[in-house]
Amino acid sequence: MPSQIPVFDGHNDIVLKIAAAGSDRAKLWLQGEGAGHLDLPRMLKHGFAGGFFAVYIPSPEAGDLVDHDMLMDKPPYDLPLPDLIGQTAAQPVAVEMLGHLLWMERASEGRFRWCRTAADIRAAMALGAVAGILHFEGAEPIGPNLDALHLFHAMGLRSLGPVWSRPTLFGHGVPFRFPSTGDTGLGLTDHGRALIRECNSLRIMIDLSHLNEAGFWDVAKLSDAPLVATHSNAHAVTASSRNLSDRQLRAIGETGGMVGLNFATCFLRPDGRRSAEMTLDPVKRHIEYMLKLAGEDHVGIGSDYDGATTPQDIGGVEGLPVLIGAMREMGLGEALITKIAHGNWLRLLERTWGG
């Protein structure tokens, strides 16, 4: 059998699960509870070399998400977005999440390391440790004067999405809508344009995955960094508002950026359903299409583990070798599979961060 290829992942939500676990967080992280997509022992066993770990601020009305999940299995759907969350409410939650992040590293006894540079990531991988990047999925904890951005950067923030689908001071996200394009409203606000410039100055990677199409093009005009969508797929294959148009995919490639294949079934299946009962044929079609539009150096993996329903044949982190096998079935070749699995992400981060 071919050797296992390490995977570097563009997006996961395990920190939110750890925060919700309370006193059981050690059991979840260090032993694995079997129900989630990720835990440290399975990550080490199945080739999860590292990735972007999201800090996400739940909406107070998060209980409605159960109904949303049911609706997303019966397209067409158009789910209302939660209300904006202000900095005063969001910032304490983000700080609490950062405490869990530090605990994850300390409790791992060297098997998990927070990384601030591409060299840090390569060093962790060389030691067989999981490499973590601090990512904010939504800029709610950052106020209009951007002072908090500098604080969080000093604490290790290296990747920032201006929005999770709900609006922020900085811009507008796409609703969960199928079928729909990402052209769903206004672009960046004045605060948002200032945020992009400051991220460029600090060399914080900007994630476009939840931003609407107008916001995407606003960033493209303003930013001097590669365009990156950490966990998005091809709209031509699945007509979800969260997926990227041909023009967006080409722009990502032309700027030396990245798109990470999202495992969420509703963004993979041509019918837009949330059901996990699907073959891997749509996964292969998205990979093939994004390679054609963005290019072989600009496609990676952005699982959305612990934040989405995944195909039954992939499931959690134990499915990464299955995905690698599917790419072999496509005839991509070991060199290209290695690029998609981790090489493209590492080179993107060197281009964005330097070093």
Side-chain angles (χ1 to χ4, degrees):
M1 291 289 292
S3 61
Q4 184 166 280
I5 297 175
V7 171
F8 193 87
D9 182 32
H11 186 89
N12 75 72
D13 287 293
I14 190 176
V15 180
L16 189 62
K17 285 197 68 179
I18 287 174
S23 60
D24 289 332
R25 66 180 184 176
K27 182 178 178 182
L28 188 159
W29 176 234
L30 299 175
Q31 300 174 33
E33 35 70 81
H37 290 145
L38 296 174
D39 56 62
L40 187 57
R42 284 190 292 156
M43 291 158 80
L44 292 166
K45 180 178 179 180
H46 297 292
F48 188 102
F52 296 77
F53 287 68
V55 166
Y56 164 75
I57 311 301
S59 292
E61 60 269 41
D64 296 340
L65 292 179
V66 175
D67 294 333
H68 286 182
D69 288 346
M70 294 175 61
L71 291 171
M72 290 175 76
D73 209 27
K74 297 177 181 179
Y77 52 79
D78 184 2
L79 308 184
L81 289 173
D83 294 335
L84 181 149
I85 298 176
Q87 180 193 13
T88 301
Q91 201 169 88
V93 179
V95 171
E96 179 184 350
M97 295 281 193
L98 290 170
H100 290 293
L101 295 169
L102 293 174
W103 171 85
M104 289 166 66
E105 181 177 57
R106 188 173 68 253
S108 76
E109 297 180 338
R111 295 173 294 167
F112 176 80
R113 301 183 177 209
W114 287 111
C115 298
R116 290 168 170 79
T117 67
D120 287 347
I121 296 169
R122 293 190 185 276
M125 290 176 65
L127 292 169
V130 176
I133 298 169
L134 173 56
H135 166 74
F136 275 14
E137 188 174 28
E140 286 92 348
I142 298 164
N145 63 18
L146 304 183
D147 288 347
L149 180 68
H150 289 260
L151 173 64
F152 289 124
H153 177 261
M155 298 170 74
L157 180 66
R158 293 296 180 270
S159 174
L160 173 72
V163 300
W164 175 80
S165 287
R166 70 182 162 232
T168 67
L169 289 173
F170 307 103
H172 305 273
V174 289
F176 294 95
R177 181 184 295 171
F178 181 93
S180 176
T181 69
D183 185 12
T184 59
L186 301 174
L188 296 179
T189 66
D190 289 342
H191 291 309
R193 285 184 279 273
L195 176 69
I196 299 307
R197 295 188 187 98
E198 204 66 13
C199 284
N200 280 176
S201 175
L202 293 169
R203 304 192 83 163
I204 294 173
M205 193 190 86
I206 301 159
D207 179 18
L208 304 170
S209 275
H210 280 272
L211 200 58
N212 66 10
E213 192 163 357
F216 180 104
W217 294 116
D218 284 345
V219 173
K221 291 174 187 175
L222 285 168
S223 180
D224 59 13
L227 297 176
V228 178
T230 60
H231 56 305
S232 294
N233 295 335
H235 189 272
V237 180
T238 302
S240 168
S241 57
R242 273 279 281 105
N243 287 341
L244 300 171
S245 70
D246 288 5
R247 186 179 169 218
Q248 288 173 304
L249 289 170
R250 289 192 184 97
I252 284 170
E254 288 165 1
T255 63
M258 280 288 295
V259 55
L261 174 77
N262 192 324
F263 296 172
T265 51
C266 54
F267 308 142
L268 287 170
R269 296 174 56 122
D271 62 6
R273 289 185 61 208
R274 183 176 172 268
S275 171
E277 296 178 3
M278 58 176 285
T279 71
L280 295 187
D281 288 342
V283 175
K284 296 175 182 178
R285 287 200 292 274
H286 279 281
I287 292 172
E288 183 178 48
Y289 198 86
M290 293 192 295
L291 287 172
K292 183 175 78 171
L293 271 291
E296 293 185 355
D297 295 328
H298 309 292
V299 176
I301 292 168
S303 70
D304 215 349
Y305 273 148
D306 283 322
T309 298
T310 61
Q312 59 188 356
D313 290 340
I314 291 179
V317 69
E318 66 279 356
L320 291 179
V322 176
L323 177 64
I324 298 297
M327 288 192 278
R328 288 186 175 120
E329 291 172 3
M330 294 171 65
L332 298 185
E334 296 301 294
L336 178 52
I337 293 172
T338 300
K339 283 184 178 182
I340 296 168
H342 64 264
N344 286 343
W345 271 124
L346 268 59
R347 285 185 287 273
L348 175 277
L349 295 177
E350 287 169 343
R351 290 192 295 274
T352 303
W353 296 343

Coordinates of all heavy atoms in Angstrom, one line a residue, residues 138-172:
G138 N -15.2 35.0 11.5 CA -16.0 36.2 11.8 C -15.2 37.1 12.7 O -14.5 36.7 13.7
A139 N -15.3 38.4 12.4 CA -14.4 39.4 13.1 C -15.2 40.1 14.2 O -14.8 41.3 14.6 CB -13.9 40.5 12.1
E140 N -16.2 39.5 14.7 CA -17.0 40.1 15.8 C -16.2 40.6 17.0 O -16.5 41.6 17.6 CB -18.1 39.2 16.3 CG -19.3 39.0 15.3 CD -19.0 37.9 14.3 OE1 -17.9 37.3 14.3 OE2 -20.0 37.5 13.6
P141 N -15.1 39.9 17.4 CA -14.4 40.3 18.6 C -13.5 41.5 18.4 O -12.9 42.0 19.3 CB -13.5 39.1 18.9 CG -14.1 37.9 18.3 CD -14.7 38.5 17.0
I142 N -13.5 42.0 17.1 CA -12.6 43.2 16.8 C -13.5 44.4 16.6 O -14.4 44.4 15.8 CB -11.8 42.9 15.5 CG1 -10.9 41.6 15.8 CG2 -11.0 44.1 15.1 CD1 -10.4 41.0 14.5
G143 N -13.2 45.5 17.3 CA -14.0 46.7 17.2 C -13.6 47.6 16.1 O -12.6 47.3 15.3
P144 N -14.3 48.7 15.9 CA -14.0 49.6 14.7 C -12.7 50.2 14.7 O -12.1 50.6 13.7 CB -15.2 50.6 14.8 CG -15.6 50.5 16.2 CD -15.4 49.1 16.7
N145 N -12.0 50.4 15.9 CA -10.7 51.1 15.9 C -9.6 50.1 15.6 O -8.4 50.5 15.5 CB -10.4 51.8 17.2 CG -10.4 50.8 18.5 OD1 -10.3 49.6 18.3 ND2 -10.6 51.4 19.6
L146 N -9.9 48.8 15.5 CA -9.0 47.7 15.2 C -7.8 47.4 16.2 O -6.9 46.7 15.9 CB -8.3 48.0 13.8 CG -9.3 48.2 12.6 CD1 -8.5 48.4 11.3 CD2 -10.3 47.0 12.5
D147 N -7.9 48.1 17.3 CA -6.9 47.8 18.4 C -6.9 46.3 18.7 O -5.8 45.7 18.9 CB -7.1 48.6 19.6 CG -6.9 50.1 19.4 OD1 -6.2 50.4 18.4 OD2 -7.3 50.9 20.3
A148 N -8.0 45.7 18.8 CA -8.1 44.3 19.2 C -7.5 43.4 18.2 O -6.9 42.3 18.5 CB -9.5 43.9 19.5
L149 N -7.5 43.8 16.9 CA -6.8 43.0 15.9 C -5.3 42.9 16.2 O -4.7 41.8 16.1 CB -7.0 43.7 14.5 CG -6.3 42.9 13.3 CD1 -7.0 41.6 13.1 CD2 -6.4 43.8 12.1
H150 N -4.7 44.0 16.6 CA -3.3 43.9 17.0 C -3.0 43.1 18.2 O -2.1 42.3 18.3 CB -2.8 45.3 17.2 CG -2.6 46.1 16.0 ND1 -1.5 46.3 15.3 CD2 -3.6 46.8 15.2 CE1 -1.7 47.1 14.2 NE2 -3.0 47.4 14.2
L151 N -4.0 43.1 19.2 CA -3.8 42.3 20.4 C -3.9 40.8 20.0 O -3.1 40.0 20.4 CB -4.9 42.7 21.4 CG -5.1 41.8 22.6 CD1 -3.8 41.9 23.5 CD2 -6.3 42.1 23.4
F152 N -4.9 40.5 19.2 CA -5.1 39.1 18.9 C -4.0 38.6 18.0 O -3.6 37.4 18.1 CB -6.5 38.8 18.2 CG -7.6 38.9 19.2 CD1 -8.7 39.8 18.9 CD2 -7.7 38.1 20.3 CE1 -9.7 39.9 19.8 CE2 -8.7 38.2 21.2 CZ -9.8 39.1 20.9
H153 N -3.5 39.4 17.1 CA -2.3 39.1 16.3 C -1.1 38.7 17.2 O -0.4 37.8 17.0 CB -1.9 40.2 15.4 CG -0.7 39.9 14.5 ND1 0.5 40.4 14.9 CD2 -0.5 39.2 13.4 CE1 1.4 40.0 14.0 NE2 0.8 39.2 13.1
A154 N -0.9 39.6 18.3 CA 0.2 39.3 19.2 C 0.0 38.0 19.9 O 0.9 37.3 20.4 CB 0.3 40.4 20.2
M155 N -1.3 37.6 20.1 CA -1.6 36.3 20.7 C -1.5 35.1 19.8 O -1.8 34.0 20.2 CB -3.0 36.4 21.4 CG -3.1 37.5 22.5 SD -4.8 37.8 23.0 CE -5.1 36.3 24.0
G156 N -1.3 35.4 18.5 CA -1.1 34.3 17.5 C -2.1 34.2 16.4 O -2.0 33.3 15.6
L157 N -3.0 35.2 16.3 CA -4.0 35.2 15.2 C -3.3 35.4 13.9 O -2.5 36.4 13.7 CB -5.0 36.3 15.4 CG -6.1 36.5 14.3 CD1 -7.0 35.3 14.3 CD2 -6.9 37.8 14.5
R158 N -3.5 34.4 12.9 CA -2.8 34.5 11.6 C -3.7 34.4 10.5 O -3.3 34.5 9.3 CB -1.7 33.4 11.5 CG -0.5 33.6 12.5 CD 0.3 34.9 12.2 NE 1.4 35.1 13.1 CZ 1.3 35.7 14.2 NH1 0.2 36.3 14.6 NH2 2.4 35.9 14.9
S159 N -5.0 34.2 10.8 CA -6.0 34.0 9.7 C -7.4 34.6 10.2 O -7.7 34.3 11.3 CB -6.1 32.5 9.3 OG -7.2 32.3 8.4
L160 N -8.0 35.3 9.3 CA -9.3 36.0 9.8 C -10.3 36.0 8.6 O -10.0 36.4 7.5 CB -8.9 37.4 10.2 CG -10.1 38.3 10.5 CD1 -10.8 37.9 11.8 CD2 -9.7 39.8 10.5
G161 N -11.5 35.6 8.9 CA -12.6 35.8 8.0 C -13.4 37.0 8.5 O -13.9 37.0 9.6
P162 N -13.6 38.0 7.7 CA -14.3 39.2 8.2 C -15.7 38.9 8.6 O -16.3 39.5 9.5 CB -14.4 40.1 6.9 CG -13.2 39.7 6.1 CD -13.1 38.2 6.3
V163 N -16.3 37.8 8.1 CA -17.7 37.4 8.5 C -17.8 35.9 8.5 O -17.1 35.2 7.8 CB -18.8 37.9 7.5 CG1 -18.8 39.4 7.4 CG2 -18.6 37.3 6.1
W164 N -18.6 35.3 9.5 CA -19.3 34.1 9.3 C -20.6 34.6 8.7 O -21.0 35.7 8.9 CB -19.4 33.3 10.6 CG -20.3 32.1 10.4 CD1 -19.9 30.9 9.9 CD2 -21.7 32.0 10.7 NE1 -20.9 30.0 9.9 CE2 -22.1 30.6 10.4 CE3 -22.7 32.8 11.2 CZ2 -23.4 30.1 10.6 CZ3 -23.9 32.3 11.4 CH2 -24.3 31.0 11.1
S165 N -21.4 33.8 8.1 CA -22.5 34.2 7.2 C -23.3 35.4 7.7 O -23.7 36.3 6.9 CB -23.4 33.1 6.9 OG -22.8 32.2 5.9
R166 N -23.5 35.5 9.0 CA -24.2 36.7 9.5 C -23.4 38.0 9.3 O -22.2 37.9 9.3 CB -24.6 36.5 11.0 CG -23.4 36.6 11.9 CD -23.6 36.4 13.4 NE -22.3 36.1 14.0 CZ -22.1 35.0 14.7 NH1 -23.0 34.2 15.0 NH2 -20.9 34.8 15.2
P167 N -24.0 39.2 9.3 CA -23.3 40.4 9.1 C -22.4 40.8 10.3 O -22.7 40.4 11.4 CB -24.4 41.4 8.8 CG -25.6 40.9 9.5 CD -25.5 39.4 9.4
T168 N -21.4 41.6 10.0 CA -20.6 42.2 11.0 C -20.4 43.7 10.7 O -20.9 44.1 9.7 CB -19.2 41.5 11.1 OG1 -18.4 41.8 9.9 CG2 -19.2 40.0 11.3
L169 N -19.7 44.3 11.6 CA -19.3 45.7 11.3 C -18.6 45.9 9.9 O -18.5 46.9 9.3 CB -18.4 46.3 12.4 CG -19.0 46.6 13.7 CD1 -17.9 47.0 14.7 CD2 -20.1 47.7 13.6
F170 N -18.0 44.8 9.5 CA -17.1 44.8 8.4 C -17.6 44.4 7.0 O -17.0 44.7 6.0 CB -15.8 44.0 8.7 CG -15.3 44.3 10.1 CD1 -15.5 43.5 11.2 CD2 -14.5 45.5 10.2 CE1 -15.0 43.9 12.4 CE2 -14.0 45.8 11.5 CZ -14.2 45.0 12.6
G171 N -18.7 43.7 7.0 CA -19.2 43.2 5.7 C -20.4 42.3 5.9 O -21.0 42.2 7.0
H172 N -20.8 41.6 4.8 CA -22.0 40.8 4.8 C -21.6 39.4 4.2 O -20.9 39.2 3.2 CB -23.0 41.5 3.8 CG -23.3 42.9 4.2 ND1 -24.3 43.2 5.2 CD2 -22.7 44.1 3.9 CE1 -24.3 44.5 5.3 NE2 -23.4 45.1 4.6

